[in-house]
Amino acid sequence: MPCVLIIDDSIDVLQTLSDILGVAGYAVRTAPSAERALQILEGAAVDLVITDLRMGGMGGMALIRRLRESWPDLPVVALSGFADAETVAQAFREGAVDFIAKPFTASEVLETVARALAHRSAGPSSAPVPHALVASQGLTPDQREQAEEILRTLQGRLGAELTLLTGSQGEVLAAQGWVSESVAQAVARAIAQIGALLETLALALGEPAFAAQMWEGAQRALYGLRLEPGRFLVAVVPRTVKPGLAWLELRDAIARLRRLEAAPSLAEAVPPEQPSPAESPPEAIPFLEEGEAFPVPLEGELLSYDEARARGLIPDLEEEEGEGRAG
């Protein structure tokens, strides 16, 4: 069975993960620090590393970088109780292939370990999708770079194996992931074919369009959102990701992509019209200090009845009634 090296400065976490993996049949080594883990790796054959990110001494992020340099084929799973989006995204940028959030369940650990080991056994073809897989259709170089960043963020937040933007002919417009280029292209072509069939189905049923799709497998789920006719945003995520979270993140990403495509390139951007001298901008209304009276407006001011009567703006009803009685 594969050997898993677990690194955490918490004895309880080390023991829990050792029990989970040991019962499943894995060989397990443990280390209370990154420094000790490097010593173990120098003299032992290890198939997978699970490392905490926040530890005394060398931190988990620095350890992942070191492992990428010295053992580039060794998959690393990041482990943290601070699983905010930026932490997850940074772990993937450093080279982690998956992420486990504390607290975790035994099934989450086992599924993640199985995915990470499958990633290693796939060999060189599992290299990350090159950033150059971005077509020029309708996107400026700056927009393509921003599209890659949107997909990178989406991948980090969902722990996705693949995030991609497909074109109308099944081409890859932008992609981020751990799968090979051929896999990304195969997914893009399949999504384009499915999208065309769904548009035919929508037309037959009198629907404007089917905007969202989801397919769930034994280990993964695939989510697709329609950006425009023929274009889809796709994410392949672990099955353990909650559907509500997946849809929330995909809708946020698709909104950013739509704003990106709607924006003109820097070369094509038209400078905003300058107001003419006669059209000076309105003055900002300052906030009042505590206890300060509201300034008296110059036009259309609101007056009390007594103030209006004192200014002669309305008749004095009492005087008129007195004159009437005298007459």
Side-chain angles (χ1 to χ4, degrees):
M1 287 295 290
C3 178
V4 181
L5 173 60
I6 307 168
I7 309 157
D8 200 303
D9 54 6
S10 168
I11 301 301
D12 291 337
V13 172
L14 290 178
Q15 187 62 58
T16 301
L17 288 173
S18 297
D19 291 344
I20 292 172
L21 295 174
V23 170
Y26 292 98
V28 179
R29 298 289 299 269
T30 62
S33 67
E35 292 80 2
R36 175 57 183 152
L38 292 173
Q39 293 176 352
I40 293 174
L41 287 168
E42 291 291 348
V46 173
D47 299 289
L48 174 67
V49 169
I50 300 176
T51 180
D52 189 26
L53 294 181
R54 296 198 176 188
M55 299 182 291
M58 180 186 292
M61 295 294 185
L63 175 61
I64 295 174
R65 287 194 295 270
R66 176 71 178 275
L67 295 177
R68 291 302 89 203
E69 296 171 358
S70 302
W71 294 273
D73 297 328
L74 181 61
V76 181
V77 173
L79 175 70
S80 180
F82 303 89
D84 58 279
E86 180 54 34
T87 299
V88 176
Q90 184 182 355
F92 283 121
R93 286 194 296 266
E94 298 294 352
V97 301
D98 217 320
F99 192 92
I100 299 175
K102 300 177 184 178
F104 47 78
T105 64
S107 61
E108 289 173 343
V109 172
L110 294 176
E111 288 177 5
T112 303
V113 168
R115 281 197 307 270
L117 290 171
H119 170 78
R120 182 180 191 180
S121 63
S125 64
S126 63
V129 176
H131 291 184
L133 283 180
V134 184
S136 59
Q137 297 189 7
L139 295 179
T140 66
D142 181 63
Q143 289 172 332
R144 292 198 299 271
E145 183 178 348
Q146 293 181 58
E148 288 285 352
E149 183 58 34
I150 292 170
L151 293 183
R152 189 178 299 114
T153 299
L154 179 63
Q155 181 195 12
R157 291 186 175 182
L158 295 179
E161 294 185 33
L162 173 66
T163 56
L164 62 83
L165 180 63
T166 70
S168 58
Q169 302 302 315
E171 68 274 25
V172 175
L173 300 181
Q176 286 289 321
W178 318 321
V179 301
S180 65
E181 179 177 348
S182 60
V183 169
Q185 291 173 340
V187 172
R189 287 193 297 268
I191 290 297
Q193 294 171 359
I194 293 171
L197 292 174
L198 288 175
E199 289 183 10
T200 301
L201 180 61
L203 182 62
L205 296 176
E207 284 285 336
F210 290 101
Q213 296 81 40
M214 172 190 174
W215 295 272
E216 189 174 63
Q219 296 183 355
R220 302 169 184 83
L222 187 148
Y223 294 83
L225 266 181
R226 181 177 180 268
L227 179 62
E228 60 184 52
R231 285 194 180 186
F232 283 86
L233 172 64
V234 180
V236 180
V237 306
R239 189 167 173 254
T240 53
V241 173
K242 303 297 184 185
L245 174 62
W247 287 126
L248 179 67
E249 295 293 350
L250 262 77
R251 288 193 170 95
D252 176 71
I254 207 122
R256 295 172 63 194
L257 286 169
R258 282 178 175 147
R259 290 195 298 269
L260 178 65
E261 293 198 345
S265 65
L266 295 178
E268 299 172 348
V270 178
E273 294 183 1
Q274 299 296 326
S276 62
E279 297 177 352
S280 57
E283 295 184 3
I285 300 176
F287 289 101
L288 298 178
E289 298 293 337
E290 184 175 357
E292 183 180 357
F294 194 89
V296 177
L298 298 177
E299 294 181 2
E301 58 185 330
L302 297 176
L303 303 175
S304 68
Y305 174 80
D306 291 337
E307 289 172 333
R309 190 177 65 178
R311 297 187 187 186
L313 299 178
I314 59 176
D316 190 323
L317 299 181
E318 294 181 358
E319 292 182 2
E320 289 185 358
E321 290 179 357
E323 293 174 358
R325 284 194 298 271

